[in-house]
Amino acid sequence: MSDDKDARAQRIEEAAYKVLEDKGFKGASMLAVARAAKASNETLYNWYGDKVGLFSALVRRNTAQVSARLEAARSKGGRGLETLRAVSQELVEMVTGARAVALNRAAAADMTGALGQAIAAGGREAVAPMLTELLAEAQADGEVGAGDLREITEAYVALLLGDIQIRRAIGVAAPLEKEEATARVHRAVALIKRLYPA
């Protein structure tokens, strides 16, 4: 994507969040987003296909932060639990951030389930294999004991996130400070090592 196109896409996506916040998923039409972004409706349909495609792109952009953290760690030779901690820090901060909260609130209000399916496909289903890969390395390196990797990944995600996403979405939990996110990561790693001792 060219710098100009990327800047336009960011402007459209910023506008999509604003419209989502103001009108909810049902009221967030492509035309409303196009107007807020000062872009043409045709551009939005050409780039994203439809409303679900647009909001799926928002989810993918959020997930890309986690992928970028993994790639950065890999470029420095990171693997196993060390890299899992770095990726998990990014994951916790992303899923509890204002943008993910806005998407989750909108998905909860979307009776069609379309946005929820997009969030699952572009979010958890994209991130889980990254975590599984790192946990597999941790097993190979003797940091984590034997066990079904899918089960270990599920347990790790549950330990890492618990109910913080839903608590943020329903407005009963404040945004996490960086130190709180870090503490969550270290606790989840320590507990998974205890559950699956090397």
Side-chain angles (χ1 to χ4, degrees):
M1 190 180 285
S2 69
D3 289 347
D4 179 56
K5 186 173 180 181
D6 190 52
R8 289 172 68 199
Q10 286 185 36
R11 191 170 69 245
I12 289 167
E13 290 166 18
E14 291 284 345
Y17 277 113
K18 178 75 173 101
V19 172
L20 185 65
E21 187 179 307
D22 292 345
K23 301 184 177 192
F25 184 65
K26 186 175 181 181
S29 68
M30 295 288 269
L31 183 58
V33 173
R35 285 179 176 158
K38 296 182 174 46
S40 74
N41 210 24
E42 183 181 3
T43 295
L44 266 70
Y45 278 103
N46 285 340
W47 287 6
Y48 302 104
D50 59 14
K51 184 167 75 169
V52 172
L54 169 60
F55 285 95
S56 295
L58 302 185
V59 175
R60 286 193 303 274
R61 192 177 283 265
N62 284 347
T63 304
Q65 295 172 225
V66 179
S67 182
R69 179 66 76 96
L70 176 58
E71 288 172 18
R74 288 286 195 224
S75 72
K76 296 175 184 172
R79 60 180 279 121
L81 293 186
E82 176 191 358
T83 300
L84 181 67
R85 286 185 187 94
V87 169
S88 297
Q89 178 82 27
E90 191 71 38
L91 177 60
V92 171
E93 291 176 9
M94 186 269 290
V95 302
T96 61
R99 290 183 163 188
V101 168
L103 286 167
N104 283 321
R105 285 177 177 161
D110 172 28
M111 294 299 104
T112 70
L115 183 55
Q117 289 170 10
I119 289 172
R124 187 182 181 109
E125 290 170 22
V127 171
M130 297 180 211
L131 303 180
T132 300
E133 176 186 326
L134 294 169
L135 285 162
E137 289 175 2
Q139 275 187 335
D141 294 346
E143 297 175 299
V144 173
D148 180 79
L149 279 167
R150 189 168 58 178
E151 179 185 287
I152 296 172
T153 302
E154 284 293 320
Y156 179 73
V157 171
L159 292 167
L160 180 66
L161 300 177
D163 66 351
I164 189 63
Q165 281 180 288
I166 189 66
R167 287 172 56 78
R168 285 283 292 124
I170 64 174
V172 297
L176 294 182
E177 299 290 337
K178 194 170 193 70
E179 296 76 20
E180 292 176 281
T182 301
R184 262 184 181 275
V185 171
H186 287 293
R187 183 174 65 242
V189 170
L191 288 171
I192 210 71
K193 287 173 73 176
R194 194 179 304 171
L195 283 170
Y196 299 92

